[in-house]
Amino acid sequence: MRKNLFFVLTLMVFFDYANAQTLKPGVLVIGNGNAAVAAGLQSAISGVKTTILLQAGGFDISPIENNLNSGIQAAFLKKYNAFLNKNGEKQLTGFDKQVANNVLTIWADSTKNLTIIRNVMWVKAERSGNNWNFKLSDGSTIKPKVFINPGDTKLNEALKITIKSTQNWAKLDYSSTVYRTSVTAGKSGNGTNANFFSLYNFLIPQQENLVWVNDPNSMLLGQAAGATAAYSAFYDIKTSLSNLKKIQGELINYKLNLMPFADIKTADTNWKAIQFVGVTGILKADINGATANFSPDKLVTTEEVKQPFKDFYYKAQIWFDDHKSPQITIGSAIDMICYVGNKSLEDTKRGLEKKWKTTYQFKTQLDLKRQINRREFAVLLQDYMPPFNVNIDQNGKVVR
């Protein structure tokens, strides 16, 4: 009898110890909505140990807005529809929340580096140096390097964080260069999808290692927040030192639109190059009311690219001084790329002959005398002289 009692007491001590454990993930997300799950998925996919604290119950997914689906949001909708089809259910006019929650539960539970904590509440939240300390209702503690808060104002109050103004999506209109700092695009608002969101709207002054998402229902924002937090945690640096280019590159690699080009889908062979060049503004969108189009078949003129190139490259000024034609042909585009980018003209031409139909999958013919279109121009730039690699400041202005 005494042995049994001793065994029971030992088990109680063991479970108390287990419950009192301290978890130290790179990134912690507290929430169970659209932004929270997308943030957690992207952070884990980016290679960082990530924890999502759901608190009560499971995921609570809201209907997806009619915007330009890309990245994790597009992947979720594909999984959601596949689930309905597999189970013999016709496409619903409404949104089946239970199906959505099930799909995301399966996805999240099978994702490497991602831990889901269910039915446990945070009871105390505080700073721990530049990091965070969260006491949970089961007696355990979470001490993440970076914390993503997808819209929970009560958490801000507990952490004594004051957000004076909430920055949101901005309409793409090229009136300033801040669009170059975009980390996602396509939010449907005010009847338009032609919107973008700047990386720096996630960051709160004097609040290091906090990524604030003001819209808990946006998977687009959630994914971008996840990559932002993952970068800081992975390199063990403050969020104020976030490398915009690295984060943008990571998001493009995972198929998230940075620019709201409605006519270039992520399945397009040249989508990545067009996104990289598009976010620099070298080739600007044709904005018509609610829609921003890249217009890939539109022919490139000297007038539209002359000043952007001069802004990015000193040597471009000399080339454009000599180039008097109002048109940019394939031949002149190659000449400019080689002159400004210090590349061999003949080697570049030979390379293009091999890549034109295969690597680039262009349906057009390689004719050096023909006026180049925007698709071709973007792909050549990204391959041979990417303007995306030129540094910019937090306002999107070129830094040389």
Side-chain angles (χ1 to χ4, degrees), residues 15-30 50-53 115 117 120-128 131-145 147 159:
F15 284 122
D16 282 342
Y17 174 78
N19 287 338
Q21 67 179 320
T22 297
L23 303 177
K24 295 183 178 181
V27 172
L28 170 66
V29 187
I30 297 181
T50 304
T51 296
I52 300 179
L53 180 63
T115 299
I117 299 178
V120 178
M121 308 291 288
W122 66 270
V123 294
K124 185 178 180 181
E126 59 187 359
R127 269 285 186 186
S128 178
N131 302 124
W132 308 92
N133 193 329
F134 295 91
K135 299 286 187 181
L136 307 185
S137 58
D138 66 354
S140 61
T141 302
I142 303 181
K143 294 185 175 181
K145 291 181 179 179
F147 167 48
L159 292 165

Side-chain angles (χ1 to χ4, degrees), residues 343-371:
K343 300 185 183 299
S344 166
L345 182 60
E346 293 307 314
D347 287 348
T348 301
K349 288 180 179 179
R350 283 194 292 270
L352 285 176
E353 289 175 355
K354 297 177 181 179
K355 295 178 179 179
W356 198 263
K357 292 287 188 179
T358 55
T359 304
Y360 304 150
Q361 297 185 30
F362 290 153
K363 296 180 181 180
T364 55
Q365 298 300 317
L366 177 57
D367 178 358
L368 299 183
K369 296 181 180 179
R370 175 174 60 80
Q371 189 172 357

Side-chain angles (χ1 to χ4, degrees), residues 9 15 51 58 99 113 126 148 151 154 240 268-269 331 336 339 367 384 397:
L9 291 173
F15 284 122
T51 296
V99 169
N113 296 319
E126 59 187 359
I148 299 176
K154 289 184 178 179
S240 61
D268 191 301
T269 304
M336 178 187 65
Y339 176 78
D367 178 358
Y384 289 96
K397 295 186 180 299

Side-chain angles (χ1 to χ4, degrees), residues 15-307:
F15 284 122
D16 282 342
Y17 174 78
N19 287 338
Q21 67 179 320
T22 297
L23 303 177
K24 295 183 178 181
V27 172
L28 170 66
V29 187
I30 297 181
N32 61 356
N34 299 31
V37 65
L41 284 168
Q42 182 59 58
S43 177
I45 291 168
S46 292
V48 173
K49 295 293 184 183
T50 304
T51 296
I52 300 179
L53 180 63
L54 294 182
Q55 303 198 85
F59 294 113
D60 185 20
I61 304 305
S62 300
I64 304 298
E65 292 186 15
N66 182 26
N67 51 27
L68 299 179
N69 298 315
S70 64
I72 284 173
Q73 179 168 293
F76 159 68
L77 290 174
K78 184 176 181 179
K79 290 175 182 289
Y80 173 84
N81 290 325
F83 186 94
L84 292 178
N85 292 332
K86 182 179 179 181
N87 289 277
E89 300 179 38
K90 62 182 180 180
Q91 297 296 315
L92 304 176
T93 55
F95 182 77
D96 192 319
K97 183 183 285 285
Q98 188 59 54
V99 169
N101 293 341
N102 291 341
V103 167
L104 280 169
T105 297
I106 294 170
W107 188 5
D109 286 345
S110 63
T111 299
K112 185 180 178 181
N113 296 319
L114 184 59
T115 299
I116 310 296
I117 299 178
R118 297 175 171 86
N119 299 315
V120 178
M121 308 291 288
W122 66 270
V123 294
K124 185 178 180 181
E126 59 187 359
R127 269 285 186 186
S128 178
N130 281 324
N131 302 124
W132 308 92
N133 193 329
F134 295 91
K135 299 286 187 181
L136 307 185
S137 58
D138 66 354
S140 61
T141 302
I142 303 181
K143 294 185 175 181
K145 291 181 179 179
V146 184
F147 167 48
I148 299 176
N149 184 354
D152 190 336
T153 55
K154 289 184 178 179
L155 259 172
N156 284 344
E157 292 173 4
L159 292 165
K160 299 179 181 179
I161 294 172
T162 300
I163 299 178
K164 295 181 179 179
S165 62
T166 300
Q167 298 295 323
N168 212 321
W169 298 82
K171 185 176 180 180
L172 180 65
D173 62 6
Y174 298 105
S175 59
S176 73
T177 54
V178 72
Y179 64 86
R180 292 174 180 159
T181 68
S182 174
V183 285
T184 188
K187 160 77 173 182
S188 179
N190 299 323
T192 177
N193 277 318
N195 300 294
F196 71 92
F197 191 92
S198 170
L199 165 73
Y200 302 104
N201 288 343
F202 283 138
L203 310 181
I204 306 302
Q206 286 78 54
Q207 294 294 339
E208 293 291 357
N209 301 336
L210 167 68
V211 179
W212 165 250
V213 183
N214 65 359
D215 183 357
N217 294 324
S218 174
M219 282 191 175
L220 302 177
L221 285 184
Q223 182 176 357
T228 303
Y231 178 85
S232 182
F234 185 85
Y235 290 102
D236 198 19
I237 61 172
K238 298 175 181 178
T239 46
S240 61
L241 300 177
S242 295
N243 187 311
L244 172 67
K245 298 291 186 177
K246 294 287 187 182
I247 293 169
Q248 288 178 323
E250 180 80 347
L251 290 167
I252 286 180
N253 283 336
Y254 288 103
K255 294 290 187 178
L256 185 68
N257 284 327
L258 301 188
M259 298 299 286
F261 298 143
D263 56 344
I264 304 294
K265 307 302 181 183
T266 55
D268 191 301
T269 304
N270 307 127
W271 173 85
K272 183 179 287 189
I274 290 171
Q275 283 288 315
F276 273 125
V277 173
V279 80
T280 69
I282 292 287
L283 293 172
K284 295 179 172 59
D286 290 327
I287 302 174
N288 181 16
T291 306
N293 287 321
F294 181 72
S295 304
D297 297 325
K298 186 178 177 180
L299 301 180
V300 179
T301 65
T302 300
E303 184 63 27
E304 71 173 306
V305 298
K306 182 177 181 179
Q307 190 56 52

